[in-house]
Amino acid sequence: MDKNKSIVVMGAGLAGLSCAYELAKAGKKVTVIEKWEDVGGLARTIKVNGFSFDTGPHRWYTKNDMVNNWMLQLMKSEITKVPRLTRIYFDNKFFHYPIQIKSTIKGMGLVKTFWAVVDYLMVRSLSFFHKAEPVTIEEGYISQFGRTLYEMFFKRYTEKLWGRSCREISADWLGQRSRGFNISTVIKNALFSKEKVVSFVDEFSYPQKGIGRLAQKLAQGVKEAKGTLYLNSEIIKINHRAGKISSVTVKSGKKLWEIKGEEFVSTIAVSDLINGLMPPVPGAVAKFNNRLKYRDEVQVVLFINKTRVTPDTWVYVHALDIPFVRFMEMDNWSNKLTPKGKTAIVFEIVCNYGDKVWNMPDKRLADLVSEKFISSFKLIKKENIIGWHIHRVPKEYPVYHIGYRKDLEVIKSYLGRFSNLQIAGRNGIFRYNNMDHSIEMGLYAAWNILEGSRNFNIESVNIDREYLEEKKVVLRAPELPEDQYVQEYKN
Ligand SMILES: Cc1cc2nc3c(=O)[nH]c(=O)nc-3n(C[C@H](O)[C@H](O)[C@H](O)COP(=O)(O)OP(=O)(O)OC[C@H]3O[C@@H](n4cnc5c(N)ncnc54)[C@H](O)[C@@H]3O)c2cc1C
């Protein structure tokens, strides 16, 4: 590859930054363009009035040793282990999550437990005779848990999260969210503590100063290796000619400018990429693109003059009369995030960009959340709240509508014509990625550029097969020669 080839990375989330980091370290000329004022995308840590808080609960847990070692080499002693306690708040009671047999039976009572068992056995016996892949998320949950447990623990929350019926969401989401999680793993987990399902881990890694440190360290590495990072710079056009992307048009404040490149990695939402292509995409592709939807979120952070208001790392809130779906208490993640004797709780209200909740004035949102939290949970009083902060996060979740895979196929096959473009990341390829997946995708994109090939298959990351087969991954031992290391990860 031409040593001076310039590479443009679109988006400074974990996918874009891990890609840029590898390229810059290898001496390549790399430019990262980010529309927000800070790096990290969906995994940021914000600091206000001495309180640091994350944009939603982000635990680091991966089954991929290579990505884990890569992260540990980057973060070194900043990483700590956090014990996890997660509960569901449902019918004014707390249930452990993942479901624990004893507490569930206690909370449900014997009659409901009996019906849950009958339901589950019925589903299992029927599936023995009639094996059908679940299409909707409702079918997926019922096949794993039976109807009683589905209605108790999953239906309400899932519909609150997505703002639509569980019959309108593809079962793929369930596959990616809780792989291998069903009644038999719940039982195995209760009996044998070494159960490996990701949803069950009761300890996880976390940077002591907040999840945003991952992106900050990567950005620092990019800059130290003479890469360029533009913040507050939105890509509004992606210009192409003769089967290649030639440049991106960027808007910073009132200024419009163009950045040329020879290789492009896009981690911005695939639908925005398609909309920005110039000349525009054919009408048929635009039609499929318009079907891609996202769920957005308003986050309300309360600053509290008490410490450890809850014992939980995070709590899922199923009750429909409470606006937030989840809250996390920062003090239970690290004691380096909030001032001594104080804590911060982040509440997530899922909504659609531009709707009533999204547009609600900040003060009203803060009042709404404070009142509901005080009256429902009775853990603090009004005078304990010493401040608040609101931030809005667009495109938090790609929505897997029924048939989304076909729509995506059309879009991705259209993008396949650009020989110098790779797409990666959560919204970048429209897949429900965790951080490790986005990082892995970013690394693959970088290695493909370094090799002048497309041997690392970004599309293969975060598909069920990897987890179900308990894929063996080779450790990236520091002394391992680069070639051998790269070799292990080829298709
Ligand atoms: C509430 C929540 C909780 C989560 N919890 C966990 C967890 O516990 N564990 C875990 O591993 N993962 C978790 N995740 C997932 C994790 O946050 C993501 O997988 C990861 O951060 C995605 O990184 P990315 O780089 O792929 O995408 P993003 O973070 O979305 O990065 C894309 C970047 O591109 C920028 N961009 C977009 N459009 C443009 C444009 N036109 N011009 C310039 N820049 C642009 C964006 O601003 C953004 O910075 C969670 C996600 C959410 C939302």
Side-chain angles (χ1 to χ4, degrees):
M1 157 185 179
D2 170 6
K3 281 224 156 102
N4 296 317
K5 219 175 190 180
S6 52
I7 303 148
V8 175
V9 176
M10 300 151 71
L14 290 175
L17 284 174
S18 45
C19 174
Y21 179 80
E22 287 287 292
L23 290 167
K25 269 197 337 180
K28 302 299 168 206
K29 197 175 150 205
V30 59
T31 304
V32 188
I33 306 159
E34 168 57 48
K35 72 173 174 184
W36 285 346
E37 66 289 355
D38 197 4
V39 295
L42 294 173
R44 278 178 301 149
T45 301
I46 300 174
K47 194 164 183 178
V48 175
N49 298 339
F51 291 84
S52 296
F53 46 87
D54 294 344
T55 47
H58 278 80
R59 63 179 175 142
W60 175 272
Y61 182 80
T62 180
K63 284 189 154 189
N64 186 328
D65 292 338
M66 180 278 287
V67 176
N68 199 41
N69 286 349
W70 186 91
M71 184 281 289
L72 289 173
Q73 278 185 23
L74 174 78
M75 300 304 293
K76 303 200 168 69
S77 58
E78 284 198 36
I79 293 293
T80 182
K81 287 280 182 197
V82 176
R84 164 192 171 162
L85 172 64
T86 322
R87 290 183 298 167
I88 293 174
Y89 184 70
F90 175 87
D91 276 355
N92 305 324
K93 288 184 217 123
F94 281 102
F95 291 83
H96 282 274
Y97 184 86
I99 299 171
Q100 283 179 5
I101 294 174
K102 251 204 242 155
S103 85
T104 307
I105 295 176
K106 198 169 150 212
M108 281 174 37
L110 282 177
V111 177
K112 244 194 174 149
T113 305
F114 170 77
W115 284 116
V117 172
V118 172
D119 256 4
Y120 178 69
L121 291 177
M122 257 170 59
V123 167
R124 295 318 301 164
S125 348
L126 284 175
S127 74
F128 188 74
F129 297 105
H130 179 65
K131 277 200 171 58
E133 274 292 304
V135 175
T136 66
I137 204 165
E138 175 166 294
E139 290 166 9
Y141 272 130
I142 291 177
S143 71
Q144 290 181 359
F145 294 96
R147 186 168 284 279
T148 304
L149 286 177
Y150 157 67
E151 280 177 358
M152 269 197 78
F153 289 114
F154 302 106
K155 183 174 190 295
R156 212 184 292 184
Y157 182 79
T158 312
E159 293 184 347
K160 191 173 172 188
L161 182 69
W162 293 109
R164 54 176 81 193
S165 154
C166 281
R167 293 182 190 156
E168 292 170 50
I169 309 162
S170 162
D172 282 11
W173 180 70
L174 178 55
Q176 280 177 348
R177 186 182 161 84
S178 52
R179 295 181 173 86
F181 179 32
N182 55 33
I183 286 274
S184 69
T185 44
V186 170
I187 293 167
K188 271 194 234 158
N189 185 60
L191 300 178
F192 315 105
S193 59
K194 286 202 173 127
E195 176 55 58
K196 277 184 180 166
V197 169
V198 174
S199 308
F200 281 135
V201 290
D202 42 23
E203 189 182 72
F204 56 85
S205 302
Y206 182 72
Q208 290 161 45
K209 290 191 179 159
I211 201 63
R213 285 296 296 152
L214 285 177
Q216 285 162 10
K217 282 281 266 195
L218 288 169
Q220 186 190 336
V222 170
K223 285 191 239 162
E224 281 167 6
K226 303 211 167 22
T228 310
L229 168 64
Y230 293 112
L231 296 175
N232 292 310
S233 301
E234 183 174 11
I235 296 162
I236 54 164
K237 275 188 205 155
I238 301 98
N239 310 300
H240 62 98
R241 196 154 43 93
K244 284 193 162 193
I245 306 293
S246 49
S247 65
V248 290
T249 306
V250 178
K251 186 169 181 279
S252 310
K254 286 186 180 156
K255 190 176 120 196
L256 279 188
W257 45 304
E258 204 177 336
I259 300 179
K260 292 199 166 100
E262 282 135 290
E263 287 280 351
F264 291 79
V265 176
S266 171
T267 71
I268 70 173
V270 65
S271 50
D272 291 345
L273 172 69
I274 288 280
N275 283 333
L277 281 169
M278 195 54 63
V281 299
V285 178
K287 191 181 100 191
F288 286 103
N289 194 46
N290 289 338
R291 291 193 194 152
L292 299 187
K293 299 278 179 275
Y294 305 82
R295 215 44 185 143
D296 313 287
E297 196 168 282
V298 174
Q299 297 184 349
V300 177
V301 189
L302 297 183
F303 305 138
I304 294 167
N305 66 1
K306 270 174 85 171
T307 184
R308 305 208 66 185
V309 169
T310 72
D312 307 84
T313 30
W314 69 92
V315 175
Y316 294 104
V317 182
H318 288 206
L320 295 178
D321 62 325
I322 299 180
F324 40 88
V325 289
R326 186 166 58 180
F327 61 87
M328 69 183 296
E329 181 168 356
M330 296 318 304
D331 243 21
N332 295 330
W333 292 64
S334 162
N335 59 9
K336 293 201 163 41
L337 296 169
T338 54
K340 212 161 176 241
K342 302 189 171 103
T343 192
I345 305 186
V346 181
F347 297 85
E348 298 174 71
I349 310 181
V350 185
C351 60
N352 290 332
Y353 185 91
D355 73 5
K356 219 170 94 190
V357 173
W358 182 269
N359 287 328
M360 198 178 275
D362 288 2
K363 171 83 169 63
R364 264 186 67 199
L365 281 164
D367 287 345
L368 181 69
V369 166
S370 312
E371 279 157 24
K372 274 290 174 190
F373 185 59
I374 293 169
S375 62
S376 308
F377 292 86
K378 302 191 172 47
L379 295 168
I380 55 166
K381 298 193 172 109
K382 201 162 182 206
E383 53 270 29
N384 293 125
I385 300 174
I386 52 173
W388 49 264
H389 171 82
I390 310 286
H391 57 271
R392 292 170 175 80
V393 191
K395 296 194 172 74
E396 276 224 334
Y397 300 97
V399 177
Y400 286 180
H401 61 267
I402 306 291
Y404 81 102
R405 269 204 247 172
K406 282 209 173 121
D407 300 342
L408 266 182
E409 259 168 42
V410 175
I411 291 161
K412 289 184 181 172
S413 107
Y414 179 81
L415 289 174
R417 72 189 51 212
F418 300 112
S419 59
N420 62 343
L421 171 71
Q422 297 184 80
I423 56 171
R426 175 150 155 146
N427 292 331
I429 75 161
F430 205 82
R431 190 169 297 165
Y432 193 75
N433 272 5
N434 272 330
M435 296 181 286
D436 55 329
H437 306 124
S438 278
I439 289 176
E440 191 178 356
M441 288 180 180
L443 296 179
Y444 281 11
W447 296 345
N448 280 334
I449 293 172
L450 292 176
E451 276 211 346
S453 74
R454 289 293 185 263
N455 284 331
F456 296 95
N457 186 355
I458 294 171
E459 281 291 334
S460 72
V461 178
N462 187 19
I463 53 174
D464 290 348
R465 180 173 48 79
E466 287 182 19
Y467 274 80
L468 296 176
E469 288 175 2
E470 296 275 319
K471 184 179 138 192
K472 285 250 180 303
V473 286
V474 181
L475 293 181
R476 185 186 190 179
E479 67 279 9
L480 205 65
E482 186 78 351
D483 279 348
Q484 188 190 336
Y485 162 51
V486 170
Q487 204 63 37
E488 301 286 356
Y489 279 84
K490 284 185 181 163
N491 287 346

